[in-house]
Structures are given as structure tokens and as C-alpha cells.
Amino acid sequence: EEDDEEEDEKDREIPVLPMERQESVELTVQQRVFHIANELLQTEKAYVSRLHLLDQVFCARLLEEARNRSSFPADVVHGIFSNICSIYCFHQQFLLPELEKRMEEWDRYPRIGDILQKLAPFLKMYGEYVKNFDRAVELVNTWTERSTQFKVIIHEVQKEEACGNLTLQHHMLEPVQRIPRYELLLKDYLLKLPHGSPDSKDAQKSLELIATAAEHSNAPIRKMERMHKLLKVYELLGGEEDIVSPTKELIKEGHILKLSAKNGTTQDRYLILFNDRLLYCVPRLRLLGQKFSVRARIDVDGMELKESSNLNLPRTFLVSGKQRSLELQARTEEEKK
């Protein structure tokens, strides 16, 4: 009888353990879903503060200057910030409060798909902003050069703590980047949702709508990334070379060795290859670190690369162009590529 009782005990215990494990797994899934929803909320808070900076600080101060002192036309300011005011109002007054409320009620309503679906009709605002983006950046660059007061205001705001040591152009890119960010978060959210979740349908619908809008944002993002690379090279050259242009694209840059024709010794040089020309640079020691001076400019059109016939010196090659020819040596095979 004791054996039978032991068997009965075992029978009763068998279903309990898997149930406990199952509950534990489900809890983990719910936690993951919650973390993504919470990340959406936290990034939304940060985004709204950036929109506030654009609309209520940059735009407001520039408009005040334009209207009160006519240092530059108010139309320029409107041209730069486009419909940022509408975007800011929507996120600050509607989407952020909705997300905050939902996260407070998460135990009862663990879903975000329904809220993000409401975002869809407002994506048209982003379309307008993205379309205007190139022109807006161009206006900032033009008026920074043209108006001292315009430049002063922008630099003053950029020094403020809220700006995070980032340029106006960087912050202007935030709305362009936000839609692809929603897309990534939603994709992650859908992957983590348990099978048969009541939020699956709404979240999937939201993703489809947002993904379409995100497509339009990708081109300006890529363009801005290219501009950032050009700005870095511009600073590297001490601002001496006029290279920051929408048509110019940085292909590659890096250290190389120059072979001396006289005695075969090598000297450290720096090559910067753009889509239209190659800059051959020499190091220039500065108190603020090492920068470079352009020693030669070779047009890509008509430029040729040839392997060197010098067997004693590995990884050497000849660059010949309209302006001049250079015999160079890479320190590694990777550098040569």
C-alpha cells in the first residue's frame, strides 16, 4: 500500500513541474514584450525633447530674431523647420501621453499595436518633412555663411546642455530617423509576441503602414551620413579644401607610404579618395593633433592604377593621373585594397 501511495504521489507531481516551467517561460515572454513597449516609451520621451529643442528653441529663437530685428527673412526659418511644429504637437500632446497611459495600465492592456495604428494618418506630416529635408539643410548652410546673427544664434543653442554637443543639422535628422526606429521596434515587438496574441493583428497592420513611410526616410539618412563623413574629412584638412557638397562622395581614406624616387625611402602620406578626385596629403603637426595638408589633387577621370614591377618592394603600386604620378606602398594587403 505504501508503494501505491508513493506512485500516487508521483502521479500527482508529474503535471505540476511542466506547468511551473510553462508559467516561467510565459512570464519571460511577457517581460520581453513589456521591455520593448517600455523602450518605445523611453525613446519617445527622448524624441519629444528633441522635437521641443527644434521647435521651441532653435526655431523660436531664430523666428524672434527674424521678426524683431529682421537680421534674416522669417521665410528662411519656416523653410528650415518646415512642419516641425505639427510633428512636435502630435507627439507631445497625443502619442507620448497615450504611450505613458498605456504603460501605466500595462497589466490590464498589454498592447501597443492599437496606439501605433493611430500614428498612421499622421505619417503624411513626415512625408512633407522628409521631402523638405535637403532644402532645409541647404538653407542652414547658406544662412550660416550669409548672416552673422543667424550663425550666432545657432552656435549659442548648440552650446546648451540640451543640445548634447550636437549640431542643428544632426537634430534636424531626428524626425527622419524616427519612423525607421518605430519600424525596428515593431518588428522586434512582433517577434517577441506570444503566438495568438490579441495585439498581433494591430501590431502587424501598424508595421505595414510604418514600413512604407520608413522607405521614404532612408534616402535622407544615407545622404546625411555621407555629409557627416565629408565634414570629418573637411576638419581633417583644417577646412582648407572645399569638399562638403551634395554631389561629392567619400569612397575611402587611409594612410599609405610614398616611395622616394631618389633613394627609395618611404614617407608617411594620407590618401582621400572621392568619387571625382584623389587627394594626396602630407601630415601636418598641430597642437590640436595631427591634420593633413593637400599636396596633390588627381582627377579620377583618366586616373590609372598599376601594379609596380619592383619585386623587392611588396604591395607597391603606381597611381598615374593628369596632374601627376605617385609610387606608393601599402603596409598591409588590407591597406592596399
Side-chain angles (χ1 to χ4, degrees):
E1 281 183 15
E2 281 179 10
D3 287 342
D4 287 341
E5 280 176 13
E6 281 178 18
E7 286 298 320
D8 286 343
E9 282 294 316
K10 284 178 186 174
D11 286 342
R12 280 196 291 272
E13 285 170 11
I14 287 167
V16 174
L17 287 170
M19 281 295 289
E20 283 176 356
R21 284 198 203 102
Q22 195 177 342
E23 281 172 15
S24 171
V25 170
E26 281 181 4
L27 187 67
T28 309
V29 168
Q30 292 302 334
Q31 281 176 333
R32 284 177 191 164
V33 171
F34 173 81
H35 285 316
I36 296 166
N38 193 49
E39 187 183 347
L40 175 64
L41 172 63
Q42 298 311 319
T43 56
E44 188 68 16
K45 282 180 181 175
Y47 178 52
V48 167
S49 70
R50 295 285 182 272
L51 290 175
H52 178 272
L53 183 69
L54 283 169
D55 184 51
Q56 300 293 303
V57 185
F58 275 114
C59 183
R61 289 194 200 171
L62 287 168
L63 268 181
E64 184 188 6
E65 177 68 27
R67 286 168 179 165
N68 295 345
R69 285 171 284 280
S70 303
S71 305
F72 40 84
D75 283 352
V76 168
V77 184
H78 292 304
I80 291 167
F81 295 97
S82 181
N83 60 338
I84 199 72
C85 180
S86 304
I87 293 172
Y88 171 56
C89 287
F90 166 71
H91 286 270
Q92 193 246 349
Q93 294 174 16
F94 172 72
L95 192 59
L96 180 58
E98 286 263 316
L99 287 171
E100 284 175 328
K101 188 183 175 196
R102 180 56 54 87
M103 294 313 291
E104 286 168 10
E105 303 171 340
W106 188 259
D107 289 343
R108 283 180 293 155
Y109 305 109
R111 54 196 301 163
I112 55 170
D114 57 329
I115 293 175
L116 288 178
Q117 258 198 71
K118 294 173 187 174
L119 172 65
F122 297 92
L123 292 175
K124 287 176 186 173
M125 294 192 301
Y126 278 90
E128 189 182 324
Y129 185 87
V130 168
K131 264 186 214 168
N132 186 63
F133 184 76
D134 282 356
R135 179 174 167 264
V137 172
E138 212 172 282
L139 281 170
V140 172
N141 295 338
T142 301
W143 284 92
T144 301
E145 288 178 16
R146 197 177 288 181
S147 166
T148 306
Q149 203 48 37
F150 184 93
K151 186 178 182 177
V152 165
I153 291 168
I154 284 175
H155 282 197
E156 279 176 357
V157 178
Q158 284 175 174
K159 285 176 191 169
E160 291 180 15
E161 194 179 336
C163 227
N165 291 321
L166 297 168
T167 62
L168 166 59
Q169 291 94 320
H170 183 97
H171 289 297
M172 284 166 64
L173 192 60
E174 288 264 349
V176 179
Q177 291 173 319
R178 187 60 184 158
I179 300 298
R181 180 83 172 135
Y182 287 132
E183 184 187 11
L184 289 172
L185 282 168
L186 261 173
K187 279 181 179 174
D188 201 16
Y189 179 76
L190 275 162
L191 282 172
K192 302 289 191 297
L193 273 182
H195 183 69
S197 166
D199 200 22
S200 294
K201 194 176 176 183
D202 281 344
Q204 187 60 49
K205 182 87 184 287
S206 299
L207 177 61
E208 287 165 14
L209 295 164
I210 287 168
T212 306
E215 273 298 303
H216 301 296
S217 293
N218 288 332
I221 290 171
R222 285 193 293 269
K223 193 171 281 187
M224 200 63 180
E225 283 170 352
R226 286 202 298 269
M227 289 294 277
H228 278 307
K229 286 179 183 175
L230 290 174
L231 280 166
K232 281 184 181 175
V233 173
Y234 179 75
E235 288 165 9
L236 200 68
L237 300 174
E240 290 179 357
E241 201 74 14
D242 186 18
I243 57 166
V244 183
S245 154
T247 57
K248 199 170 286 285
E249 190 175 344
L250 177 67
I251 309 294
K252 193 173 181 182
E253 60 175 311
H255 288 273
I256 202 84
L257 295 172
K258 161 77 168 66
L259 292 174
S260 171
K262 292 177 184 175
N263 52 23
T265 57
T266 58
Q267 298 150 322
D268 186 38
R269 295 292 182 260
Y270 200 78
L271 291 182
I272 305 168
L273 177 64
F274 297 103
N275 54 331
D276 60 345
R277 64 171 54 181
L278 175 73
L279 298 184
Y280 169 67
C281 311
V282 295
R284 183 174 61 183
L285 290 172
R286 283 277 186 94
L287 290 172
L288 295 171
Q290 195 179 36
K291 292 189 178 181
F292 300 92
S293 284
V294 178
R295 183 64 60 84
R297 299 162 187 82
I298 303 172
D299 292 340
V300 166
D301 186 27
M303 186 175 77
E304 288 184 357
L305 290 178
K306 293 176 185 172
E307 290 286 340
S308 174
S309 55
N310 193 335
L311 297 173
N312 297 324
L313 292 166
R315 302 178 300 280
T316 56
F317 57 97
L318 191 71
V319 177
S320 58
K322 293 172 189 172
Q323 289 81 2
R324 68 175 288 181
S325 294
L326 303 162
E327 192 172 9
L328 304 168
Q329 182 184 26
R331 278 167 282 211
T332 63
E333 283 298 329
E334 189 61 34
E335 193 176 77
K336 190 179 174 184
K337 290 175 188 174

